[in-house]
Amino acid sequence: MTLNIFELLRKKIVELPFEIAYNGDFIMREDFKLILKSPLKVCGNATYDGQIVNLKGSITGIIEVQCSRCLEPLDYQLNVEFDEDFSKLERNEEIYPIEEESIELKDMVIDNIILSMPFKFLCSIDCRGLCPVCGKNLNKHQCDCNKDNIDPRLAVLKDLFMGD
């Protein structure tokens, strides 16, 4: 995902509107992999103040995630707003690099997606999850497992609440 900013850097234009679609099956880097169910669209406007190129826009698409309780796959609609800076001269954690006369958007896109994701995904609010004994999906099947398996070190605590 590369954005050509030649005209912006040469000050031939004041603002560069862009829309880039990434059509792969997944987007990844060493520490992260995301399965895409639809093209990932990155659109917005780029401006240049003489030193820093600022990109403002949004990232949209559908990704595949797992329910945190039952581990079933589900589709999640991304709609991420971003406001990021790029520079040839400055290099730090908050400013992405400009290579030649283009900007590689992949790291910026992945960073913004990671920061916008919820802590856990649920297929439904009523998801019952997996049986802790046999591992069956309790949304699909009821199991007959004995769930009163109490750690013997904590068994004394059970008796405290029986009197109430």
Side-chain angles (χ1 to χ4, degrees):
M1 283 189 284
T2 305
L3 175 63
N4 186 340
I5 56 169
F6 174 78
E7 291 179 338
L8 192 63
L9 292 176
R10 299 289 178 247
K11 297 189 180 183
K12 293 181 179 179
I13 56 175
V14 177
E15 187 173 82
L16 175 67
F18 63 91
E19 184 172 323
I20 298 172
Y22 180 75
N23 293 313
D25 293 332
F26 56 88
I27 186 169
M28 68 180 283
R29 66 179 180 201
E30 317 77 54
D31 62 339
F32 187 74
K33 182 176 181 180
L34 197 61
I35 299 170
L36 303 177
K37 300 294 273 187
S38 74
L40 204 57
K41 286 187 181 178
V42 182
C43 56
N45 290 308
T47 56
Y48 181 55
D49 68 1
Q51 290 186 354
I52 293 177
V53 175
N54 178 262
L55 268 61
K56 289 182 183 176
S58 64
I59 304 163
T60 57
I62 299 173
I63 60 171
E64 182 179 295
V65 294
Q66 280 186 322
C67 176
S68 296
R69 291 183 187 159
C70 68
L71 304 179
E72 289 291 318
L74 62 121
D75 293 345
Y76 179 74
Q77 175 68 47
L78 284 176
N79 192 3
V80 180
E81 300 293 320
F82 64 86
D83 183 353
E84 298 292 347
D85 294 329
F86 293 79
S87 176
K88 280 186 175 183
L89 305 173
E90 292 186 46
R91 302 281 168 129
N92 64 41
E93 294 174 354
E94 296 177 12
I95 298 178
Y96 293 93
I98 295 175
E99 300 155 9
E100 303 288 322
E101 294 173 339
S102 65
I103 295 174
E104 176 55 48
L105 298 175
K106 183 178 160 186
D107 284 338
M108 184 273 300
V109 167
I110 291 174
D111 289 346
N112 278 280
I113 290 172
I114 290 171
L115 290 172
S116 73
M117 291 179 121
F119 287 114
K120 64 181 179 177
F121 298 96
L122 295 177
C123 58
S124 74
I125 290 185
D126 301 330
C127 179
R128 297 176 58 212
L130 301 175
C131 172
V133 178
C134 69
K136 282 186 180 176
N137 185 339
L138 297 175
N139 296 316
K140 296 179 179 178
H141 307 286
Q142 190 61 35
C143 66
D144 298 327
C145 297
N146 181 7
K147 294 182 179 85
D148 289 338
N149 223 359
I150 297 175
D151 184 333
R153 295 171 291 184
L154 301 175
V156 175
L157 294 176
K158 183 179 177 185
D159 297 336
L160 287 176
F161 296 105
M162 291 196 119
D164 291 338

